[in-house]
Amino acid sequence: MFRVYSSAKRIAFVVLAFLLPLPGLAAADADGQEKTVLIGFSGALSGVSETFGKSMANAADMALGEINRQQIRIGNQRVFFRLLRQDDRNDPETAVAVARQLLQAGVVAVIGTSNSTTTQAVAKIYSDAGVPMITPAASAALLSEQGSTGFFRMVGRDDHAAAYLVDYVMRSMNVRRLGVVDNGSMFGVGLAASVIEHAGLADGLKIVAHERVSYTSDLRQMIRNMKQRGADALFFGGYSAQAVLLAQLIQQEGGGMRLLLASSGVAGATYLIAARSAANGVVAVESGMPTQDMQGWQRFEEEYHQRFGLNIYGTTPFAYDAAQVVVAAMRQANSTNPRTLIGTLHKIVFKGLTGVVAFEPDGDPRTPIFTVYEGQGQRWIPLKTYEGYPAVIAKRPVKATEAPAANPGHKKPYNAGAASDTLVPSPRH
């Protein structure tokens, strides 16, 4: 589990200098020709998830940079977009402090946070203030059940990811005995519970044990215990940095047990580099279509690597699209008013890097897409792509596309009445 900074004094590390508007910021400049619009970012920019959070902030910044070069006008006025990055350290208390500071700074929208626990802590704060929050990473099912009208997420829910993972391991991996481990976080506990629930509905899949671990746990002994119980595979509900260690320990213990992951954003180069050969055979289900099917992926990847290096995770392109769709909503509404923006986001249909972005009334993606990957030779190989909301696995077949996955066709949206039929194209794609 991540180290939690609960002391009020430590919250003072939040960099206030970037939050306080400069003279003329978020307002027209001296000649009245350009207006600076502030968009906040809240995520882990330090600690064990530093590269994960920074990858999303970098992608959002890159999107706004591309938009700024277009010199767009909103409300008959030139606008310039600026991203205010803030480090919430994956800590709910710090995230609350960051939320209040971002609101005081006058942001019109927030991209973040980078995990479910911090998102739960701040979703209502932003919503009550009338400022939309779009998370590129938080996937806990509970988040869209809290009634926050300003909450949106780019990725599918954990319970849906769990359903598709169980479907895949039953149909394609012939796993019959599964060990389940979570890291005690909101994300990990909810995900593990969903896997156990869907495994109970699947014919022939047995959960041999469920354990909870922390950074002080003896993971090696836990792996040995799971192997002694005859587990064919070990599902881990937790963060990517912890999943690297588990893969390495399973390899050191002689293998014989597959590591399964879900919604942890591992399907990128960073995990492969960290885990090395231990990543071979790891199976992960992540939100989104395979990158090879994303229109504009090659250009995005090349530009990102040129500017920021190799740290691209599965959630990175969703942060890019989050920034794009925020601006697209402003352009569609011809307004930078945050409350107007919330209403427009509930109606928008936007073609972005990750596909068609549209939201349900509760903020969930209209047509979620999940892809199952396997680590093979320092690459993530897409094995199966699922589109839409899962059926109960034990009763009805789920819709799937076998690898190699084609670019999913976006059929009539789920709950189509919540969005307009007008597709707003990405300025770049």
Side-chain angles (χ1 to χ4, degrees):
M1 296 175 66
F2 291 112
R3 182 180 178 186
V4 176
Y5 293 82
S6 59
S7 167
K9 291 183 179 180
R10 290 182 178 176
I11 297 175
F13 281 106
V14 176
V15 185
L16 299 179
F18 285 97
L19 294 172
L20 299 177
L22 299 173
L25 197 61
D29 63 10
D31 61 7
Q33 295 303 305
E34 185 173 84
K35 176 181 179 180
T36 299
V37 177
L38 307 180
I39 296 175
F41 176 87
S42 177
L45 303 179
S46 63
V48 294
S49 292
E50 177 180 356
T51 57
F52 182 66
K54 284 183 175 178
S55 76
M56 289 181 279
N58 289 342
D61 205 21
M62 192 168 88
L64 294 182
E66 294 169 1
I67 292 167
N68 283 334
R69 289 194 290 272
Q70 299 171 33
Q71 300 183 351
I72 69 172
R73 303 181 72 88
I74 296 176
N76 201 31
Q77 187 175 33
R78 278 264 304 275
V79 291
F80 176 86
F81 296 97
R82 178 184 169 195
L83 187 72
L84 297 183
R85 303 181 182 217
Q86 290 303 306
D87 182 10
D88 63 28
R89 305 190 192 95
N90 275 346
D91 169 49
E93 188 175 349
T94 306
V96 168
V98 165
R100 290 171 178 158
Q101 297 288 352
L102 287 174
L103 291 173
Q104 183 180 1
V107 298
V108 300
V110 174
I111 298 170
T113 67
S114 57
N115 79 15
S116 294
T117 305
T118 49
T119 296
Q120 183 187 37
V122 299
K124 189 174 186 300
I125 294 174
Y126 289 121
S127 188
D128 288 350
V131 172
M133 177 182 73
I134 305 182
T135 173
S139 53
L142 176 65
L143 296 173
S144 52
E145 298 169 0
Q146 298 182 119
S148 298
T149 58
F151 168 78
F152 303 88
R153 64 169 138 210
M154 302 292 296
V155 294
R157 290 166 42 146
D158 290 344
D159 50 348
H160 301 157
Y164 287 138
L165 180 66
V166 170
D167 175 75
Y168 184 79
V169 300
M170 284 290 295
R171 295 173 189 252
S172 303
M173 294 180 64
N174 200 33
V175 170
R176 291 294 177 263
R177 296 175 64 83
L178 180 64
V180 177
V181 179
D182 69 69
N183 69 347
S185 67
M186 175 185 175
F187 164 70
V189 170
L191 190 50
S194 291
V195 167
I196 292 171
E197 177 186 358
H198 288 290
L201 298 172
D203 219 3
L205 181 60
K206 180 180 179 180
I207 302 298
V208 300
H210 175 204
E211 295 193 24
R212 183 158 297 157
V213 298
S214 70
Y215 281 112
T216 62
S217 299
D218 187 343
L219 298 182
R220 189 181 298 275
Q221 187 58 49
M222 180 273 293
I223 289 169
R224 291 172 178 172
N225 292 341
M226 289 292 184
K227 293 179 73 172
Q228 288 173 0
R229 293 184 174 103
D232 303 316
L234 175 67
F235 172 78
F236 175 60
Y239 303 124
S240 58
Q242 298 166 307
V244 168
L245 179 58
L246 278 176
Q248 292 170 336
L249 289 173
I250 290 173
Q251 182 186 55
Q252 292 169 16
E253 289 298 310
M257 187 169 61
R258 303 287 292 276
L259 179 62
L260 310 178
L261 307 170
S263 298
S264 52
V266 300
T270 304
Y271 184 88
L272 299 174
I273 293 169
R276 298 179 183 270
S277 61
N280 291 331
V282 173
V283 172
V285 59
E286 298 289 352
S287 282
M289 67 182 77
T291 56
Q292 67 198 36
D293 295 330
M294 293 182 185
Q295 292 184 2
W297 171 257
Q298 184 175 356
R299 181 180 174 187
F300 170 83
E301 184 180 38
E302 289 174 355
E303 290 186 10
Y304 186 96
H305 285 168
Q306 184 177 9
R307 290 187 59 183
F308 306 113
L310 296 174
N311 295 322
I312 293 183
Y313 291 83
T315 55
T316 307
F318 288 104
Y320 176 88
D321 270 1
Q324 293 274 7
V325 78
V326 164
V327 176
M330 292 184 207
R331 299 181 75 173
Q332 181 168 312
N334 197 30
S335 172
T336 59
N337 181 284
R339 293 186 184 276
T340 301
L341 183 55
I342 289 176
T344 306
L345 284 168
H346 277 293
K347 297 183 293 184
I348 199 166
V349 181
F350 174 80
K351 185 177 181 181
L353 173 66
T354 59
V356 176
V357 180
F359 301 103
E360 287 292 305
D362 60 8
D364 281 344
R366 181 79 57 80
T367 307
I369 298 173
F370 295 89
T371 299
V372 179
Y373 297 90
E374 182 178 5
Q376 297 179 14
Q378 287 294 288
R379 294 179 60 200
W380 286 108
I381 306 300
L383 303 175
K384 181 176 286 190
T385 297
Y386 297 89
E387 181 180 349
Y389 287 75
V392 177
I393 292 173
K395 296 181 180 179
R396 290 178 292 176
V398 292
K399 179 182 177 183
T401 302
E402 294 286 355
N407 193 356
H410 294 275
K411 298 178 175 60
K412 184 176 180 180
Y414 179 84
N415 193 11
S420 67
D421 294 326
T422 304
L423 189 68
V424 180
S426 163
R428 177 176 171 184
H429 301 294

